[in-house]
Amino acid sequence: CAAGGDNVRRYLGTVGLTSGLYGISKVLKVLKDQSTSIDDIIEFSELSEELIAAINQADGSAYMAIFTTSSTSGVPPQRYFDDAKTEVKQAMKT
C-alpha cells in the first residue's frame, strides 16, 4: 500500500475520525442493547465480535507495516498489508 499503514488504519476507523467505521463498536453495542429477541441478541453478538476482531487484526497488521522497514525482522511491509487485506475481506463477509 503506497499510502502507508496509517491510511489503512484510517479506512478501518482506528485512526482519525473520517471513516464510516469510526466508532463502530459503540454503534454495535447500542444496536445490541436495543434488540428485543434473545435469538437476535446471540447471533448479533457473535457477528459483532467477529467483525470487531477482523477489524482489530487488520489494524494490527497495518500498524506493523508502518514499522517493519525500520526493524531488523526483514519482513516486507507488503506482507502485513496482505494480512490486513485478508482480515478486511473477512470482516466484509461478516
Side-chain angles (χ1 to χ4, degrees):
C1 179
D6 273 339
N7 271 355
V8 173
R9 298 175 75 218
R10 198 167 287 109
Y11 173 82
L12 295 170
T14 57
V15 168
L17 308 173
T18 58
S19 171
L21 292 172
Y22 174 75
I24 191 68
S25 295
K26 292 177 185 177
V27 171
L28 293 173
K29 182 180 180 333
V30 168
L31 290 173
K32 182 178 115 179
D33 292 345
Q34 292 178 353
S35 179
T36 57
S37 167
I38 191 69
D39 292 333
D40 290 343
I41 290 173
I42 293 170
E43 182 178 2
F44 186 83
S45 295
E46 290 172 354
L47 291 173
S48 296
E49 289 173 16
E50 288 176 26
L51 175 64
I52 297 305
I55 290 172
N56 288 337
Q57 287 291 331
D59 177 63
S61 294
Y63 185 79
M64 291 294 293
I66 296 169
F67 299 103
T68 191
T69 55
S70 62
S71 77
T72 58
S73 71
V75 177
Q78 189 59 47
R79 178 172 172 198
Y80 291 111
F81 289 130
D82 291 343
D83 290 346
K85 185 176 183 178
T86 300
E87 292 300 330
V88 167
K89 286 180 179 180
Q90 179 63 37
M92 291 172 63
K93 288 180 184 177
T94 306

